Amino acid sequence: MKQLLDINTWKRKDHFHFFNQFEEPFFGVCVNVDCTKAYATAREKGYSFFLYYLHKAMVAMNAIEPFRYRIVGEQVWIYDKIDPSPTINRPDGTFGFAYFEYHADFETFEAIARIITEQVQNSTGLVPAVSGENVVHCSSLPWINFTSLSHARSFSFKDSCPKVSFGKMTTADGISTMPVSLHVHHALMDGYHAGQFFEYFQQQLDS
């Protein structure tokens, strides 16, 4: 379900019209998150660490309203729920696109996501995911402890979906950290909202 946002009464009306004119309206930040507790929990309970932190990220994004905004034509719609569309790495070095329906309950989310993950890993090609505006583009680069990241973009394709990428976990002095890159459409949100995401995401990882 979705509802229309009244741009004329929106406090960010001017910001929307200003940034929505840009050829590249996305901005990005890269932050190291503490995943010590999350990794320990995933190992203890036999969870997929990737699915565990992906779910935590989606909990945070679904809780922060601007992450559920999407631009369609000249209008902004607010989705009730957004779902992750992650890249799934294969043993042969390729990857495929997947689509996981978001569920607030992690075990429900993981059970379905594991089935889809296996399907993608046993296939070839990109495996086009379910298309839609209410997705978050997600990727994992578990080989790279990156400090910045950019994305391939087709500027002729109007896209307003957030993009989040997770890097290599490293451990020092008993603390495990992981770089997380977030790119969002500046017509829909600002650095304040990106900060809210990382704060809430960290709380979820620590819970």
Side-chain angles (χ1 to χ4, degrees):
M1 299 292 292
K2 62 182 180 180
Q3 60 181 315
L4 189 64
L5 175 70
D6 187 346
I7 295 174
N8 291 321
T9 61
W10 188 16
K11 63 183 179 181
R12 293 191 69 262
K13 173 184 175 181
D14 291 346
H15 304 70
F16 171 77
H17 288 302
F18 179 73
F19 288 109
N20 203 34
Q21 304 175 68
F22 283 30
E23 289 82 5
E24 171 53 296
F26 279 77
F27 74 91
V29 293
C30 183
V31 174
N32 281 322
V33 300
D34 185 336
C35 53
T36 310
K37 292 182 180 178
Y39 184 67
T41 298
R43 289 196 62 183
E44 177 187 345
K45 298 190 175 183
Y47 297 153
S48 158
F49 181 49
F50 167 66
L51 293 178
Y52 191 64
Y53 67 65
L54 178 63
H55 183 262
K56 297 294 189 183
M58 294 308 303
V59 170
M61 289 190 187
N62 272 282
I64 302 167
E65 186 174 289
F67 281 88
R68 293 185 277 111
Y69 293 171
R70 297 294 182 272
I71 302 171
V72 182
E74 298 301 319
Q75 297 177 319
V76 176
W77 291 87
I78 311 170
Y79 281 85
D80 293 342
K81 175 178 70 73
I82 52 177
D83 305 308
S85 180
T87 56
I88 301 300
N89 300 316
R90 299 190 182 102
D92 66 0
T94 66
F95 71 88
F97 294 128
Y99 170 83
F100 300 157
E101 185 176 356
Y102 170 71
H103 293 273
D105 175 68
F106 172 70
E107 292 188 355
T108 301
F109 172 82
E110 185 192 34
I112 298 171
R114 279 185 180 273
I115 294 172
I116 298 171
T117 296
E118 185 176 352
Q119 290 173 349
V120 175
Q121 288 177 332
N122 291 330
S123 64
T124 59
L126 283 176
V127 188
V130 175
S131 61
E133 299 291 339
N134 66 324
V135 299
V136 177
H137 298 143
C138 310
S139 57
S140 175
L141 293 81
W143 324 275
I144 305 173
N145 183 22
F146 56 74
T147 56
S148 65
L149 186 144
S150 63
H151 290 276
R153 287 284 312 279
S154 173
F155 292 112
S156 62
F157 176 74
K158 297 299 182 181
D159 175 24
S160 59
C161 298
K163 306 170 195 317
V164 60
S165 301
F166 307 94
K168 179 180 180 179
M169 185 184 75
T170 58
T171 303
D173 299 323
I175 303 297
S176 297
T177 60
M178 177 175 63
V180 178
S181 169
L182 176 72
H183 284 74
V184 293
H185 199 297
H186 213 341
L188 299 179
M189 68 182 88
D190 306 309
Y192 170 75
H193 305 102
Q196 283 186 311
F197 164 72
F198 280 106
E199 180 178 6
Y200 197 5
F201 182 35
Q202 185 64 67
Q203 290 173 2
Q204 287 294 307
L205 292 171
D206 291 341
S207 64

